Amino acid sequence: DTPTPSNFIHDIIDADLEAGRVVNVVTRFPPEPNGYLHIGHAKSIVLNFGIAQKYGGQCHLRFDDTNPLTEDEEYVASIQNDVRWLGYDWGEHLYFASNYFEKMYACALHLVKEGKAYVDSQSQEEIRQMRGTLTEPGKPSPYRERSVEENLELLEKMRAGEFGDGEHVLRAKIDMSNPNMLMRDPLIYRIRHATHHNTGDDWCIYPMYDFAHALEDAFEGVTHSICTLEFENNRELYDWVIANCPVKSEPHQYEFARLNLGYTVMSKRKLLQLVRDEVVQGWDDPRMPTIAGMRRRGVPPEALRAFCQLIGVAKANSTVDIQLLEYAIRDELNMKAPRVMAVIDPVKVVITNYPEDQVEWLDADYFPHDVPLEGTRKVPFSRELYIERDDYLEDAPKKWYRLAPGAEVRLRYGYYITCDEAIYGEDGELKELRCTYDPESRGGSTPDGRKVRGTIHWVSAAEAKPATFNLYDRLFTVERPDGDSEIDFQEYLNPESLVVAQGFVEPSVADDADDVRYQFERQGYFWRDSSSSNEALVFNRVVGLRDSWSK
Ligand code: ATP
Ligand code: MG
Ligand code: MG
């Protein structure tokens, strides 16, 4: 068994419960609805909902929808769908930050009245220049000492829509020489004349992240607010907002390392770029690191959850090897997937000594002995079969146990065949193999006990179903496609991230439910793409049988 990786957040919560600082544990998963969720979000979902489960608390699903420009209902729906698919339920605890706009505004008024916030009328550029640097303190804005009355009047006019975008902002009045740059009078409201997906045109001022997020947590009684490491410096401001606004509860922020995965990009902005540039076929393209992409590819939710447990929760950033994800997927599918036969790159085999119109239906087990599941199906055997093109070699090396001129091989669940002749087309391509079978070898052995080492998969040509196979590979050719700011990450796209092949599957699959995940013997794990139909079967390769990345 894999040891449970350490989770320092659990240690913090244990201590809080023991000391009585917290009674009921409340966490939240707070996506901004500006894109589809990716596997990094899955880490946060598993962590936050996992804590609620472990401690008998709640995890809120809260849409952090405070930026009208980038947010959309499509994303709100997809996020709910993805969290549910991952196996989590927020119950009644579905929240939208935008529903708190009135309460947030009341907090802003409170700060102004207390002399802790002011309207600044400098341009964005001026504000930036006055903020100072890490080694130099900032300079106060000429508007910093506005009276409470003047600030109140301006803020109300800002809200009433009397100013254009960027004419004024509301800033917290904290400390222009604080060593933490984020504490140098941070912006807490800005003017944005834009229609919001939830509040429409009710508002033309929108709260900034640090102010809004802390208040959202406090309004909802969140106890442990878990975010990624980049927000470490924001914690001071988070605490300031909670301490200075009229809120009843006192949430605390904790930071953990974000998940970075090799051979892909994770920022929603870059993923959106791939979608817009039509480099992929949408957010749910099976090559995308999105939850929707993984779902469409065929990754089981259990495997994603197991992966998130495997990587653990730590305080140091690192890049997780994509092989660990693939391991988690194989580990899950190995114990559940029925084994069937599919030929992805077919070449015809004619068994010249097999009767022409005969079809035998052979018994075939769905599962190997080490999988504690039972089941069989019938597989047709006939004179004309397909095998995998690369299971034949004209000039075979010494330890080649598959087909070659004069060589004998075992057909899985069937007979031994010996290759007598290879027929090539005018283009030099292998067209057909002529073989003979040993009628005594049915079931995989012969009375003389002779040794046949190789076993290959096959399908019967007449009964097999034609199928399209989507063979996915990594989307990028390098581990960190966005690691170099000089080079556009799209330069590293893998031109072979999708190879489409036409082949055949054994006929038994036609009777199966649409959501069966198979192991195609010797090929990997597959399931039907959402575009698949009985007339036109389409299978996605979820993952190969073992790591085959060699570039
Ligand atoms: P992106 O940079 O991809 O746009 P984001 O952090 O802006 O991501 P949010 O919608 O704000 O996206 O994220 C919701 C939650 O998911 C946040 O609490 C955030 O900490 C967490 N999260 C986002 N990306 C990762 C990641 N790579 N690893 C772990 N948690 C993540
Ligand atoms: Mg965010
Ligand atoms: Mg973002």
Side-chain angles (χ1 to χ4, degrees), residues 308-366:
C308 292
Q309 304 286 358
L310 272 177
I311 57 178
V313 176
K315 253 196 165 315
N317 277 321
S318 65
T319 298
V320 174
D321 195 327
I322 202 163
Q323 289 189 37
L324 192 64
L325 174 61
E326 293 172 358
Y327 162 81
I329 299 168
R330 280 188 206 107
D331 193 50
E332 171 68 26
L333 292 178
N334 177 39
M335 296 311 278
K336 292 192 179 154
R339 275 62 168 171
V340 299
M341 294 194 285
V343 176
I344 291 174
D345 183 12
V347 68
K348 188 167 268 185
V349 167
V350 177
I351 302 173
T352 52
N353 61 337
Y354 195 86
E356 266 194 45
D357 292 319
Q358 184 170 315
V359 181
E360 279 176 84
W361 290 84
L362 307 168
D363 284 318
D365 287 333
Y366 273 130

Short mmCIF file of all heavy atoms in Angstrom, two decimals, residues 308-366:
data_model
loop_
_atom_site.label_atom_id
_atom_site.label_comp_id
_atom_site.label_asym_id
_atom_site.label_seq_id
_atom_site.Cartn_x
_atom_site.Cartn_y
_atom_site.Cartn_z
N CYS A 308 -4.68 12.87 -6.91
CA CYS A 308 -4.58 14.03 -6.01
C CYS A 308 -4.15 13.60 -4.60
O CYS A 308 -3.46 14.34 -3.91
CB CYS A 308 -5.91 14.79 -5.96
SG CYS A 308 -6.30 15.60 -7.53
N GLN A 309 -4.56 12.41 -4.19
CA GLN A 309 -4.11 11.90 -2.89
C GLN A 309 -2.62 11.55 -2.95
O GLN A 309 -1.86 11.84 -2.02
CB GLN A 309 -4.89 10.65 -2.48
CG GLN A 309 -6.40 10.83 -2.43
CD GLN A 309 -6.89 11.63 -1.24
OE1 GLN A 309 -6.08 12.05 -0.40
NE2 GLN A 309 -8.18 11.87 -1.17
N LEU A 310 -2.22 10.93 -4.06
CA LEU A 310 -0.83 10.49 -4.21
C LEU A 310 0.16 11.65 -4.13
O LEU A 310 1.24 11.52 -3.55
CB LEU A 310 -0.64 9.83 -5.58
CG LEU A 310 -0.91 8.35 -5.72
CD1 LEU A 310 -0.74 7.93 -7.18
CD2 LEU A 310 0.03 7.55 -4.83
N ILE A 311 -0.19 12.78 -4.75
CA ILE A 311 0.77 13.89 -4.80
C ILE A 311 0.86 14.62 -3.47
O ILE A 311 1.84 15.31 -3.22
CB ILE A 311 0.44 14.90 -5.92
CG1 ILE A 311 -0.98 15.45 -5.76
CG2 ILE A 311 0.60 14.26 -7.30
CD1 ILE A 311 -1.37 16.48 -6.81
N GLY A 312 -0.13 14.44 -2.61
CA GLY A 312 -0.07 15.04 -1.29
C GLY A 312 -0.21 16.55 -1.33
O GLY A 312 -0.38 17.16 -2.37
N VAL A 313 -0.12 17.14 -0.16
CA VAL A 313 -0.29 18.59 -0.02
C VAL A 313 0.93 19.11 0.71
O VAL A 313 1.17 18.76 1.85
CB VAL A 313 -1.57 18.92 0.77
CG1 VAL A 313 -1.70 20.41 0.99
CG2 VAL A 313 -2.79 18.38 0.03
N ALA A 314 1.73 19.91 0.01
CA ALA A 314 2.97 20.38 0.61
C ALA A 314 3.09 21.88 0.45
O ALA A 314 2.24 22.53 -0.15
CB ALA A 314 4.16 19.68 -0.04
N LYS A 315 4.18 22.42 0.98
CA LYS A 315 4.37 23.86 0.94
C LYS A 315 5.46 24.27 -0.04
O LYS A 315 5.85 25.43 -0.09
CB LYS A 315 4.71 24.37 2.35
CG LYS A 315 3.52 25.12 2.96
CD LYS A 315 3.96 25.93 4.14
CE LYS A 315 2.97 26.99 4.60
NZ LYS A 315 2.32 27.83 3.68
N ALA A 316 5.96 23.35 -0.82
CA ALA A 316 6.99 23.70 -1.79
C ALA A 316 6.51 23.36 -3.19
O ALA A 316 6.00 22.27 -3.44
CB ALA A 316 8.27 22.93 -1.48
N ASN A 317 6.64 24.31 -4.10
CA ASN A 317 6.20 24.08 -5.47
C ASN A 317 7.10 23.06 -6.17
O ASN A 317 8.30 23.04 -5.97
CB ASN A 317 6.22 25.39 -6.26
CG ASN A 317 4.95 26.19 -6.02
OD1 ASN A 317 3.87 25.63 -5.93
ND2 ASN A 317 5.09 27.49 -5.91
N SER A 318 6.49 22.26 -6.98
CA SER A 318 7.28 21.32 -7.78
C SER A 318 6.43 20.92 -8.97
O SER A 318 5.23 21.16 -9.01
CB SER A 318 7.66 20.10 -6.96
OG SER A 318 6.48 19.40 -6.64
N THR A 319 7.08 20.31 -9.95
CA THR A 319 6.33 19.83 -11.11
C THR A 319 6.15 18.33 -10.95
O THR A 319 7.09 17.59 -10.71
CB THR A 319 7.11 20.14 -12.40
OG1 THR A 319 7.22 21.55 -12.50
CG2 THR A 319 6.36 19.62 -13.62
N VAL A 320 4.89 17.92 -11.05
CA VAL A 320 4.61 16.50 -10.90
C VAL A 320 4.78 15.82 -12.25
O VAL A 320 4.34 16.32 -13.28
CB VAL A 320 3.17 16.29 -10.36
CG1 VAL A 320 2.81 14.82 -10.34
CG2 VAL A 320 3.04 16.89 -8.97
N ASP A 321 5.43 14.66 -12.22
CA ASP A 321 5.66 13.89 -13.43
C ASP A 321 4.33 13.36 -13.94
O ASP A 321 3.57 12.75 -13.20
CB ASP A 321 6.59 12.72 -13.08
CG ASP A 321 7.17 12.09 -14.33
OD1 ASP A 321 6.47 12.08 -15.37
OD2 ASP A 321 8.30 11.61 -14.25
N ILE A 322 4.08 13.58 -15.23
CA ILE A 322 2.82 13.13 -15.81
C ILE A 322 2.68 11.62 -15.73
O ILE A 322 1.58 11.07 -15.74
CB ILE A 322 2.70 13.65 -17.26
CG1 ILE A 322 1.24 13.68 -17.70
CG2 ILE A 322 3.55 12.85 -18.21
CD1 ILE A 322 0.98 14.52 -18.93
N GLN A 323 3.81 10.93 -15.58
CA GLN A 323 3.74 9.47 -15.44
C GLN A 323 3.01 9.05 -14.17
O GLN A 323 2.46 7.95 -14.11
CB GLN A 323 5.15 8.88 -15.44
CG GLN A 323 5.79 8.97 -16.81
CD GLN A 323 7.09 8.20 -16.88
OE1 GLN A 323 7.21 7.13 -16.29
NE2 GLN A 323 8.05 8.73 -17.60
N LEU A 324 3.03 9.93 -13.17
CA LEU A 324 2.32 9.59 -11.94
C LEU A 324 0.81 9.60 -12.19
O LEU A 324 0.07 8.75 -11.68
CB LEU A 324 2.69 10.59 -10.84
CG LEU A 324 2.26 10.20 -9.43
CD1 LEU A 324 2.94 8.92 -8.97
CD2 LEU A 324 2.53 11.33 -8.45
N LEU A 325 0.36 10.54 -12.99
CA LEU A 325 -1.06 10.58 -13.37
C LEU A 325 -1.41 9.32 -14.17
O LEU A 325 -2.43 8.66 -13.93
CB LEU A 325 -1.35 11.83 -14.19
CG LEU A 325 -2.75 11.95 -14.79
CD1 LEU A 325 -3.81 11.96 -13.69
CD2 LEU A 325 -2.87 13.21 -15.64
N GLU A 326 -0.54 8.99 -15.12
CA GLU A 326 -0.81 7.81 -15.94
C GLU A 326 -0.81 6.54 -15.09
O GLU A 326 -1.62 5.64 -15.29
CB GLU A 326 0.22 7.73 -17.07
CG GLU A 326 0.02 8.88 -18.05
CD GLU A 326 1.12 9.01 -19.10
OE1 GLU A 326 2.08 8.22 -19.07
OE2 GLU A 326 0.99 9.91 -19.96
N TYR A 327 0.06 6.50 -14.11
CA TYR A 327 0.09 5.38 -13.20
C TYR A 327 -1.25 5.25 -12.46
O TYR A 327 -1.83 4.16 -12.35
CB TYR A 327 1.24 5.54 -12.19
CG TYR A 327 1.09 4.67 -10.97
CD1 TYR A 327 1.46 3.33 -11.00
CD2 TYR A 327 0.54 5.19 -9.80
CE1 TYR A 327 1.28 2.52 -9.89
CE2 TYR A 327 0.36 4.40 -8.69
CZ TYR A 327 0.73 3.07 -8.73
OH TYR A 327 0.55 2.27 -7.64
N ALA A 328 -1.75 6.37 -11.96
CA ALA A 328 -3.01 6.35 -11.20
C ALA A 328 -4.16 5.89 -12.10
O ALA A 328 -5.06 5.17 -11.63
CB ALA A 328 -3.30 7.74 -10.62
N ILE A 329 -4.13 6.28 -13.35
CA ILE A 329 -5.20 5.88 -14.27
C ILE A 329 -5.12 4.38 -14.55
O ILE A 329 -6.11 3.65 -14.47
CB ILE A 329 -5.11 6.68 -15.59
CG1 ILE A 329 -5.27 8.19 -15.32
CG2 ILE A 329 -6.17 6.21 -16.58
CD1 ILE A 329 -4.92 9.07 -16.51
N ARG A 330 -3.91 3.90 -14.85
CA ARG A 330 -3.75 2.46 -15.11
C ARG A 330 -4.10 1.63 -13.89
O ARG A 330 -4.72 0.58 -13.99
CB ARG A 330 -2.28 2.15 -15.45
CG ARG A 330 -1.92 2.48 -16.85
CD ARG A 330 -0.50 1.96 -17.15
NE ARG A 330 0.03 2.78 -18.20
CZ ARG A 330 0.98 3.69 -18.03
NH1 ARG A 330 1.54 3.86 -16.85
NH2 ARG A 330 1.37 4.43 -19.04
N ASP A 331 -3.69 2.14 -12.74
CA ASP A 331 -3.92 1.40 -11.50
C ASP A 331 -5.42 1.20 -11.28
O ASP A 331 -5.87 0.14 -10.84
CB ASP A 331 -3.29 2.18 -10.35
CG ASP A 331 -3.20 1.35 -9.09
OD1 ASP A 331 -2.70 0.22 -9.18
OD2 ASP A 331 -3.66 1.83 -8.04
N GLU A 332 -6.20 2.23 -11.60
CA GLU A 332 -7.65 2.16 -11.44
C GLU A 332 -8.26 1.24 -12.50
O GLU A 332 -9.08 0.36 -12.20
CB GLU A 332 -8.22 3.57 -11.54
CG GLU A 332 -9.72 3.68 -11.62
CD GLU A 332 -10.41 3.25 -10.34
OE1 GLU A 332 -9.80 3.35 -9.26
OE2 GLU A 332 -11.58 2.80 -10.44
N LEU A 333 -7.84 1.42 -13.75
CA LEU A 333 -8.47 0.67 -14.84
C LEU A 333 -8.07 -0.80 -14.85
O LEU A 333 -8.86 -1.66 -15.23
CB LEU A 333 -8.12 1.33 -16.18
CG LEU A 333 -8.73 2.71 -16.39
CD1 LEU A 333 -8.28 3.30 -17.72
CD2 LEU A 333 -10.25 2.64 -16.33
N ASN A 334 -6.86 -1.08 -14.43
CA ASN A 334 -6.38 -2.47 -14.44
C ASN A 334 -7.34 -3.39 -13.71
O ASN A 334 -7.60 -4.51 -14.16
CB ASN A 334 -4.99 -2.53 -13.81
CG ASN A 334 -4.47 -3.95 -13.74
OD1 ASN A 334 -4.67 -4.74 -14.65
ND2 ASN A 334 -3.84 -4.29 -12.62
N MET A 335 -7.88 -2.93 -12.61
CA MET A 335 -8.72 -3.80 -11.80
C MET A 335 -10.17 -3.83 -12.27
O MET A 335 -10.99 -4.56 -11.72
CB MET A 335 -8.67 -3.37 -10.33
CG MET A 335 -7.30 -3.51 -9.70
SD MET A 335 -6.52 -5.13 -10.00
CE MET A 335 -7.30 -6.12 -8.72
N LYS A 336 -10.52 -3.02 -13.25
CA LYS A 336 -11.94 -2.93 -13.63
C LYS A 336 -12.23 -3.17 -15.10
O LYS A 336 -13.35 -3.53 -15.45
CB LYS A 336 -12.46 -1.53 -13.26
CG LYS A 336 -12.52 -1.33 -11.76
CD LYS A 336 -13.29 -0.09 -11.37
CE LYS A 336 -13.34 0.05 -9.86
NZ LYS A 336 -13.49 1.44 -9.44
N ALA A 337 -11.24 -2.92 -15.95
CA ALA A 337 -11.53 -2.91 -17.38
C ALA A 337 -11.56 -4.32 -17.97
O ALA A 337 -10.60 -5.08 -17.84
CB ALA A 337 -10.48 -2.08 -18.11
N PRO A 338 -12.67 -4.68 -18.64
CA PRO A 338 -12.68 -5.95 -19.37
C PRO A 338 -11.67 -5.91 -20.51
O PRO A 338 -11.47 -4.87 -21.12
CB PRO A 338 -14.11 -6.05 -19.91
CG PRO A 338 -14.66 -4.67 -19.86
CD PRO A 338 -13.93 -3.95 -18.75
N ARG A 339 -11.05 -7.07 -20.76
CA ARG A 339 -10.07 -7.16 -21.85
C ARG A 339 -10.79 -7.63 -23.10
O ARG A 339 -11.49 -8.66 -23.06
CB ARG A 339 -8.97 -8.16 -21.49
CG ARG A 339 -7.83 -7.61 -20.65
CD ARG A 339 -8.22 -7.09 -19.30
NE ARG A 339 -7.05 -6.83 -18.45
CZ ARG A 339 -7.10 -6.23 -17.29
NH1 ARG A 339 -8.24 -5.78 -16.80
NH2 ARG A 339 -5.99 -6.04 -16.60
N VAL A 340 -10.65 -6.88 -24.16
CA VAL A 340 -11.21 -7.30 -25.45
C VAL A 340 -10.16 -7.05 -26.52
O VAL A 340 -9.10 -6.48 -26.25
CB VAL A 340 -12.54 -6.56 -25.80
CG1 VAL A 340 -13.62 -6.85 -24.77
CG2 VAL A 340 -12.30 -5.07 -25.94
N MET A 341 -10.48 -7.50 -27.76
CA MET A 341 -9.48 -7.37 -28.81
C MET A 341 -9.88 -6.33 -29.85
O MET A 341 -11.03 -6.27 -30.30
CB MET A 341 -9.24 -8.73 -29.48
CG MET A 341 -8.62 -9.73 -28.49
SD MET A 341 -7.95 -11.19 -29.29
CE MET A 341 -9.45 -12.07 -29.69
N ALA A 342 -8.91 -5.52 -30.22
CA ALA A 342 -9.09 -4.51 -31.26
C ALA A 342 -7.81 -4.49 -32.08
O ALA A 342 -6.72 -4.65 -31.54
CB ALA A 342 -9.33 -3.14 -30.64
N VAL A 343 -7.96 -4.32 -33.36
CA VAL A 343 -6.79 -4.21 -34.23
C VAL A 343 -6.77 -2.79 -34.80
O VAL A 343 -7.69 -2.38 -35.50
CB VAL A 343 -6.82 -5.28 -35.35
CG1 VAL A 343 -5.65 -5.07 -36.30
CG2 VAL A 343 -6.78 -6.67 -34.74
N ILE A 344 -5.75 -2.06 -34.43
CA ILE A 344 -5.73 -0.62 -34.70
C ILE A 344 -5.09 -0.31 -36.04
O ILE A 344 -5.49 0.63 -36.72
CB ILE A 344 -5.02 0.09 -33.52
CG1 ILE A 344 -5.92 -0.02 -32.28
CG2 ILE A 344 -4.71 1.55 -33.86
CD1 ILE A 344 -5.31 0.51 -31.02
N ASP A 345 -4.12 -1.10 -36.42
CA ASP A 345 -3.47 -0.90 -37.72
C ASP A 345 -3.50 -2.24 -38.45
O ASP A 345 -2.55 -3.01 -38.40
CB ASP A 345 -2.04 -0.41 -37.49
CG ASP A 345 -1.33 -0.10 -38.80
OD1 ASP A 345 -2.00 -0.03 -39.84
OD2 ASP A 345 -0.10 0.06 -38.76
N PRO A 346 -4.63 -2.55 -39.11
CA PRO A 346 -4.88 -3.92 -39.54
C PRO A 346 -4.16 -4.35 -40.81
O PRO A 346 -3.96 -3.55 -41.73
CB PRO A 346 -6.40 -3.94 -39.79
CG PRO A 346 -6.79 -2.52 -39.98
CD PRO A 346 -5.77 -1.64 -39.36
N VAL A 347 -3.81 -5.63 -40.83
CA VAL A 347 -3.40 -6.27 -42.07
C VAL A 347 -4.12 -7.61 -42.11
O VAL A 347 -4.33 -8.25 -41.07
CB VAL A 347 -1.85 -6.41 -42.18
CG1 VAL A 347 -1.31 -7.41 -41.18
CG2 VAL A 347 -1.45 -6.78 -43.58
N LYS A 348 -4.56 -8.00 -43.32
CA LYS A 348 -5.40 -9.20 -43.42
C LYS A 348 -4.56 -10.48 -43.33
O LYS A 348 -3.46 -10.55 -43.87
CB LYS A 348 -6.19 -9.18 -44.71
CG LYS A 348 -7.22 -10.29 -44.79
CD LYS A 348 -8.21 -10.11 -45.91
CE LYS A 348 -9.45 -9.36 -45.43
NZ LYS A 348 -10.47 -9.27 -46.48
N VAL A 349 -5.15 -11.47 -42.67
CA VAL A 349 -4.55 -12.81 -42.60
C VAL A 349 -5.58 -13.76 -43.21
O VAL A 349 -6.75 -13.75 -42.81
CB VAL A 349 -4.27 -13.23 -41.14
CG1 VAL A 349 -3.96 -14.73 -41.06
CG2 VAL A 349 -3.12 -12.42 -40.57
N VAL A 350 -5.16 -14.57 -44.21
CA VAL A 350 -6.05 -15.59 -44.75
C VAL A 350 -5.50 -16.95 -44.31
O VAL A 350 -4.33 -17.25 -44.55
CB VAL A 350 -6.13 -15.50 -46.29
CG1 VAL A 350 -7.01 -16.61 -46.84
CG2 VAL A 350 -6.67 -14.13 -46.70
N ILE A 351 -6.36 -17.73 -43.66
CA ILE A 351 -5.93 -19.05 -43.19
C ILE A 351 -6.36 -20.06 -44.25
O ILE A 351 -7.53 -20.43 -44.35
CB ILE A 351 -6.54 -19.37 -41.82
CG1 ILE A 351 -6.10 -18.27 -40.84
CG2 ILE A 351 -6.09 -20.74 -41.33
CD1 ILE A 351 -6.75 -18.34 -39.51
N THR A 352 -5.40 -20.41 -45.08
CA THR A 352 -5.73 -21.13 -46.32
C THR A 352 -6.30 -22.52 -46.09
O THR A 352 -7.04 -23.03 -46.92
CB THR A 352 -4.48 -21.22 -47.21
OG1 THR A 352 -3.40 -21.75 -46.43
CG2 THR A 352 -4.08 -19.85 -47.74
N ASN A 353 -6.00 -23.14 -44.94
CA ASN A 353 -6.55 -24.48 -44.70
C ASN A 353 -7.79 -24.45 -43.79
O ASN A 353 -8.18 -25.48 -43.25
CB ASN A 353 -5.47 -25.42 -44.11
CG ASN A 353 -4.95 -24.91 -42.77
OD1 ASN A 353 -5.05 -23.72 -42.48
ND2 ASN A 353 -4.40 -25.81 -41.97
N TYR A 354 -8.37 -23.29 -43.61
CA TYR A 354 -9.58 -23.19 -42.79
C TYR A 354 -10.79 -23.12 -43.72
O TYR A 354 -10.76 -22.38 -44.71
CB TYR A 354 -9.54 -21.94 -41.90
CG TYR A 354 -10.55 -21.96 -40.79
CD1 TYR A 354 -10.29 -22.58 -39.57
CD2 TYR A 354 -11.81 -21.37 -40.97
CE1 TYR A 354 -11.24 -22.61 -38.55
CE2 TYR A 354 -12.77 -21.39 -39.96
CZ TYR A 354 -12.47 -22.01 -38.75
OH TYR A 354 -13.42 -22.03 -37.75
N PRO A 355 -11.88 -23.89 -43.42
CA PRO A 355 -13.04 -23.94 -44.32
C PRO A 355 -13.62 -22.54 -44.59
O PRO A 355 -13.69 -21.71 -43.69
CB PRO A 355 -14.06 -24.78 -43.54
CG PRO A 355 -13.27 -25.53 -42.54
CD PRO A 355 -12.05 -24.74 -42.23
N GLU A 356 -14.05 -22.36 -45.86
CA GLU A 356 -14.43 -21.00 -46.27
C GLU A 356 -15.60 -20.39 -45.53
O GLU A 356 -15.57 -19.24 -45.15
CB GLU A 356 -14.67 -20.97 -47.77
CG GLU A 356 -13.38 -20.53 -48.42
CD GLU A 356 -13.51 -20.13 -49.85
OE1 GLU A 356 -14.46 -19.39 -50.15
OE2 GLU A 356 -12.64 -20.54 -50.64
N ASP A 357 -16.67 -21.13 -45.34
CA ASP A 357 -17.84 -20.48 -44.76
C ASP A 357 -18.04 -20.78 -43.28
O ASP A 357 -19.09 -20.54 -42.73
CB ASP A 357 -19.10 -20.87 -45.55
CG ASP A 357 -19.03 -20.26 -46.94
OD1 ASP A 357 -18.60 -19.09 -47.03
OD2 ASP A 357 -19.35 -20.96 -47.92
N GLN A 358 -16.99 -21.26 -42.66
CA GLN A 358 -17.13 -21.66 -41.26
C GLN A 358 -16.83 -20.49 -40.32
O GLN A 358 -15.93 -19.69 -40.56
CB GLN A 358 -16.17 -22.82 -40.98
CG GLN A 358 -16.30 -23.37 -39.57
CD GLN A 358 -15.52 -24.66 -39.42
OE1 GLN A 358 -15.57 -25.55 -40.28
NE2 GLN A 358 -14.80 -24.77 -38.31
N VAL A 359 -17.65 -20.40 -39.26
CA VAL A 359 -17.34 -19.45 -38.18
C VAL A 359 -17.44 -20.22 -36.87
O VAL A 359 -18.45 -20.87 -36.60
CB VAL A 359 -18.33 -18.26 -38.14
CG1 VAL A 359 -17.95 -17.30 -37.02
CG2 VAL A 359 -18.36 -17.54 -39.46
N GLU A 360 -16.40 -20.16 -36.07
CA GLU A 360 -16.44 -20.79 -34.73
C GLU A 360 -16.55 -19.67 -33.71
O GLU A 360 -15.85 -18.65 -33.83
CB GLU A 360 -15.12 -21.52 -34.45
CG GLU A 360 -15.00 -22.87 -35.05
CD GLU A 360 -13.60 -23.42 -34.76
OE1 GLU A 360 -13.40 -23.98 -33.67
OE2 GLU A 360 -12.73 -23.26 -35.62
N TRP A 361 -17.37 -19.87 -32.71
CA TRP A 361 -17.47 -18.85 -31.65
C TRP A 361 -16.71 -19.36 -30.44
O TRP A 361 -17.12 -20.31 -29.79
CB TRP A 361 -18.93 -18.55 -31.35
CG TRP A 361 -19.56 -17.81 -32.51
CD1 TRP A 361 -20.09 -18.34 -33.65
CD2 TRP A 361 -19.66 -16.38 -32.64
NE1 TRP A 361 -20.52 -17.33 -34.50
CE2 TRP A 361 -20.27 -16.13 -33.90
CE3 TRP A 361 -19.30 -15.29 -31.84
CZ2 TRP A 361 -20.52 -14.83 -34.37
CZ3 TRP A 361 -19.56 -14.00 -32.30
CH2 TRP A 361 -20.17 -13.78 -33.56
N LEU A 362 -15.58 -18.72 -30.17
CA LEU A 362 -14.69 -19.17 -29.11
C LEU A 362 -15.00 -18.46 -27.80
O LEU A 362 -15.39 -17.29 -27.79
CB LEU A 362 -13.24 -18.86 -29.50
CG LEU A 362 -12.80 -19.39 -30.87
CD1 LEU A 362 -11.46 -18.78 -31.28
CD2 LEU A 362 -12.71 -20.92 -30.84
N ASP A 363 -14.83 -19.20 -26.70
CA ASP A 363 -15.02 -18.57 -25.37
C ASP A 363 -13.80 -17.75 -25.01
O ASP A 363 -12.67 -18.21 -25.15
CB ASP A 363 -15.20 -19.66 -24.31
CG ASP A 363 -16.59 -20.25 -24.38
OD1 ASP A 363 -17.55 -19.46 -24.55
OD2 ASP A 363 -16.71 -21.49 -24.30
N ALA A 364 -14.05 -16.56 -24.54
CA ALA A 364 -12.93 -15.70 -24.15
C ALA A 364 -13.25 -15.01 -22.84
O ALA A 364 -14.32 -14.45 -22.66
CB ALA A 364 -12.68 -14.67 -25.25
N ASP A 365 -12.30 -15.08 -21.90
CA ASP A 365 -12.48 -14.44 -20.59
C ASP A 365 -12.29 -12.93 -20.71
O ASP A 365 -11.42 -12.47 -21.42
CB ASP A 365 -11.43 -14.97 -19.60
CG ASP A 365 -11.75 -16.38 -19.16
OD1 ASP A 365 -12.94 -16.75 -19.18
OD2 ASP A 365 -10.80 -17.11 -18.82
N TYR A 366 -13.09 -12.21 -19.96
CA TYR A 366 -12.92 -10.76 -19.93
C TYR A 366 -11.75 -10.32 -19.06
O TYR A 366 -11.19 -9.25 -19.25
CB TYR A 366 -14.19 -10.09 -19.39
CG TYR A 366 -15.24 -9.80 -20.44
CD1 TYR A 366 -16.56 -10.19 -20.24
CD2 TYR A 366 -14.92 -9.10 -21.60
CE1 TYR A 366 -17.54 -9.90 -21.18
CE2 TYR A 366 -15.90 -8.81 -22.54
CZ TYR A 366 -17.21 -9.21 -22.33
OH TYR A 366 -18.16 -8.92 -23.26
#
